[in-house]
Amino acid sequence: MDTSTALHTDRYELTMLEAAIKHGTADRRCMFEAFGRRLPGARRFGVVGGIGRLLTAISEFRFTDVELDWLAANDVVGAATIDWLADYRFRGDIWGYREGEAYFPESPILIVESSFAEGVLLETLILSILNYDSAVATAATRMVTAARGRPLAEMGSRRAHEDAAVAAARAAFIAGFDATSNLEAGRAWGVPTMGTAAHSFTLLHDSEEEAFRAQVVASGPGTTLLVDTYDIAAGVETAIRVAGPELGAIRLDSGDLPTLVLQVRAQLDGLGARNTKITVTNDLDEYAIATLATVPVDSYGVGTSLVTGSGSPAAGLVYKLVAHEGDDGSWVPVAKASAGKASIGGRKFATRRRDGNGVAVEERVYVGLGPEDAHGIPAAERPLLVPLIENGFVDEHHTGAEGTLRAREHHAAVRKELPADAFRLGRGDPALPTVIAD
Amino acid sequence: MDTSTALHTDRYELTMLEAAIKHGTADRRCMFEAFGRRLPGARRFGVVGGIGRLLTAISEFRFTDVELDWLAANDVVGAATIDWLADYRFRGDIWGYREGEAYFPESPILIVESSFAEGVLLETLILSILNYDSAVATAATRMVTAARGRPLAEMGSRRAHEDAAVAAARAAFIAGFDATSNLEAGRAWGVPTMGTAAHSFTLLHDSEEEAFRAQVVASGPGTTLLVDTYDIAAGVETAIRVAGPELGAIRLDSGDLPTLVLQVRAQLDGLGARNTKITVTNDLDEYAIATLATVPVDSYGVGTSLVTGSGSPAAGLVYKLVAHEGDDGSWVPVAKASAGKASIGGRKFATRRRDGNGVAVEERVYVGLGPEDAHGIPAAERPLLVPLIENGFVDEHHTGAEGTLRAREHHAAVRKELPADAFRLGRGDPALPTVIAD
């Protein structure tokens, strides 16, 4: 597999780099911003995902001989640009929303300050990571809402690109999921992993009873038995006969779940298996989970809809040049005027204003201010931008398994601050208005 | 980044492996099958994507000390299973549809014949790759249909996980796209790359004219100038003034394209730039492309909708045990009976039957036959399963950049064989009925 992230880049980033080098504007100090013009799927809030992955990817963004030889051989850029790329590492500053933070339209999620050359090269990588991970995290937090405290497991690896699957498991964990089926997400990011058996294990054996017996011998009676390969009532009966009433759980992966769960609960109770849990995993999304709130489900497994952002598989974030340094050293705001795609030029600073009860009421985007102006912000406003990379050095607080866990804790705290309206599942307006303060 | 594909695996594959080892059924000869119960998005046909990537990924599927140490430290499986995994490489046989082949409900896209242990371990990886790449290829071929021979470029990298983006570019190329913006897809898979400039390049400079001049100096007048940063009519005028009437192309990335394209074409012609092409790139999908058929667009760039499968981001393929060896050495068909998720047990062989004009009329799935029975198939039926891996050895015909190009050629040939109904963009029934022949 890949060893550098440097070619995960659109060709035009390099073409622009080359033209700017030739024209003498490559070193002009610039400010780029990643933001969303609207929330995916008319949701009430978005969740920033991918920051921890992104910081590591930026630190690994180097052009080695493999990449440079290919670029030269294919005439993507000329010799002078190749020389420039050989020395490239990002040496600028990046501020951003913490991973797990809520975001709203126009929230300046990531602000990159560097030369044009250094910043433009990262556009594709930044957007790929933030768009996918945020799409998953934004879907996941809605499932957490719908589950009302019941545990959720991510199990959609098979419905996403094999590497995206790992990122999805991580993003879901940050948004409040409890575990994943994906082993690499466990190894790389410390996400708890889970899983017991598929239908194939039952089909491998000469009877369901034999399969259950093999599983219970291997994993103990605390395991989860999948009971819907043939007849569910017979499967439940067999499961308890084989494992005893201390069986950990049964799993249902098909059928009309609201009805089935009630039937199976009654059957388990009748068999004395009052502590045996019921987990369900049949093409769930936030709406299906919500319809199961009144029946005795103990935990949910969510696959396809989670890893595909439940209808919004990309968060729609964009990366725009918002300012460059003028001849006098001050920032010159720039913005495009394209129909339906206008951007807001200038440096940004952002806060979330809370009311007297600590409930968030407003996303404030200050245009023309920088982080150094944060001391003038009223106490009711929580500053949202934190330093992520300074002079090219990554703040390791946000990376790795520990950064992932911190992002999860941060997201839980952010949810507590949001107004009740933020947790409505229907399509609608953002839960907070974004106020642009000039 | 990752160096082994082995942990891109759901935990339950290893739990099942361990139970089967303990119970003595791990070595039972098995046949697994990947298929779809329906086509994604009620389309008329699906396109098999990912075969070339999958074969390489399977050959790299090894448990090294990194993975084994983590599995042991986290008690995922016990010592005996760790030992087994240390020696693992896939030694079985895989038959499948060629990459770029059309598929229909119940088409046996991939058939894995191996011990239970060897085959069950690959489930997650197989489905991840086939589901994502097939989703993109299936969306892409519809865009090719809508474009009616005009060139298409893939440029959705920023709207997909950074590694998924590379796979998407490859899948789109196989389905008939002409180029990609993604450099890694060029390096790894030989997909032609393209791209010139973004709005940030215009905004970097003190005027649009200065930006255009810098680009034309660097890339020559054959380049593509992006003219919608400010005012489009002024941008077109400036572009031709700077580059001359031999400017290669202008790009439109916003606004009401059907109207704009006509206006810009007239303006270009009026400026004597009759050979300057118009490329459009504004949130296109197959339907938006279709509405542009009557205006003089020269090429399309497609992003978000392509890399997210245009509404169907996962193809919905599943991987099921369909047979295992019985005590007498013959195949015992097995199938689950789960509500709405029943499977068809038994070995499969598949053909596409053509009428006297060579037009495909039927997908035939023979149950109980194997590839060795192909000699008995009528000449009007084209056998669809080819050997991909034999005794663990990959057929390199399907892998790498050359395999990718072959898949693209195969898809073009397959499209010629399909009936006209297959190219309707509306939702509906599959273009061919699947006939299960017992």
Side-chain angles (χ1 to χ4, degrees), chain A residues 10-11 128 157 181 253 341, chain B residues 10-11 128 157 181 253 341:
Chain A
D10 288 323
R11 179 168 172 148
S128 288
S157 293
S181 63
D253 185 46
K341 291 181 166 184
Chain B
D10 287 322
R11 179 167 172 148
S128 287
S157 293
S181 64
D253 185 45
K341 292 182 166 182

Side-chain angles (χ1 to χ4, degrees), chain A residues 31-351:
Chain A
M31 192 169 283
F32 295 88
E33 184 187 316
F35 64 96
R37 294 193 179 91
R38 61 197 73 82
L39 294 175
R43 277 126 183 209
R44 308 316 177 105
F45 65 98
V47 178
V48 176
I51 296 289
R53 292 211 305 119
L54 175 61
L55 297 180
T56 302
I58 289 175
S59 70
E60 292 171 353
F61 193 98
R62 306 291 171 88
F63 291 84
T64 70
D65 287 348
V66 173
E67 290 85 29
L68 296 172
D69 290 350
W70 184 83
L71 292 171
N74 289 272
D75 281 332
V76 175
V77 287
T81 306
I82 296 283
D83 285 347
W84 190 93
L85 292 172
D87 287 334
Y88 177 78
R89 69 176 181 84
F90 181 75
R91 294 178 174 88
D93 297 332
I94 299 184
W95 288 71
Y97 278 36
R98 289 182 60 180
E99 190 159 11
E101 187 59 80
Y103 75 90
F104 297 90
E106 306 294 347
S107 294
I109 292 170
L110 203 76
I111 295 179
V112 176
E113 187 183 329
S114 68
S115 70
F116 176 78
E118 286 191 28
V120 77
L121 271 187
L122 297 179
E123 174 176 27
T124 311
L125 184 70
I126 287 172
L127 289 178
S128 288
I129 292 179
L130 295 185
N131 269 321
Y132 183 68
D133 291 28
S134 300
V136 174
T138 298
T141 198
R142 290 160 56 82
M143 296 168 187
V144 170
T145 298
R148 300 185 180 197
R150 292 173 178 169
L152 285 155
E154 184 284 314
M155 34 181 279
S157 293
R158 63 192 56 196
R159 300 283 185 266
H161 178 280
E162 68 275 22
D163 293 307
V166 183
R170 178 182 174 280
F173 181 62
I174 287 170
F177 272 56
D178 300 275
T180 179
S181 63
N182 188 289
L183 290 167
E184 180 64 15
R187 190 194 67 79
W189 303 106
V191 183
T193 63
M194 49 67 66
T196 48
H199 296 102
S200 63
F201 190 76
T202 299
L203 294 170
L204 168 69
H205 294 93
D206 295 333
S207 69
E208 192 173 47
E209 178 169 344
E210 185 194 342
F212 287 177
R213 207 170 292 284
Q215 187 179 327
V216 169
V217 166
S219 305
T223 192
T224 299
L225 293 172
L226 176 60
V227 295
D228 71 338
T229 305
Y230 306 114
D231 177 80
I232 291 175
V236 170
E237 192 278 326
T238 305
I240 300 302
R241 182 156 41 76
V242 168
E246 296 311 311
L247 174 63
I250 63 97
R251 177 160 78 95
L252 296 171
D253 185 46
S254 56
D256 178 40
L257 292 176
T259 309
L260 270 177
V261 167
L262 286 173
Q263 290 171 351
V264 166
R265 182 73 266 162
Q267 187 184 3
L268 286 169
D269 291 348
L271 292 166
R274 296 189 170 273
N275 296 320
T276 300
K277 295 189 162 157
I278 298 175
T279 188
V280 300
T281 60
N282 182 28
D283 270 348
L284 299 178
D285 62 13
E286 60 267 50
Y287 305 106
I289 292 169
T291 65
L292 291 164
T294 59
V295 298
V297 172
D298 294 288
S299 65
Y300 302 96
V302 187
T304 309
S305 70
L306 181 66
V307 301
T308 59
S310 198
S312 297
L317 303 176
V318 296
Y319 182 81
K320 299 295 166 195
L321 185 68
V322 294
H324 62 69
E325 206 171 45
D327 294 336
D328 64 354
S330 67
W331 286 110
V332 178
V334 296
K336 61 179 190 157
S338 318
K341 291 181 166 184
S343 52
I344 301 170
R347 285 187 95 182
K348 310 275 175 20
F349 190 69
T351 67

Side-chain angles (χ1 to χ4, degrees), chain B residues 96-128:
Chain B
Y97 278 36
R98 289 182 59 180
E99 190 159 11
E101 186 60 80
Y103 74 88
F104 297 90
E106 306 294 347
S107 294
I109 291 171
L110 203 77
I111 295 178
V112 176
E113 188 182 328
S114 68
S115 70
F116 176 79
E118 287 191 28
V120 79
L121 272 187
L122 297 179
E123 174 176 28
T124 311
L125 184 71
I126 287 173
L127 289 178
S128 287

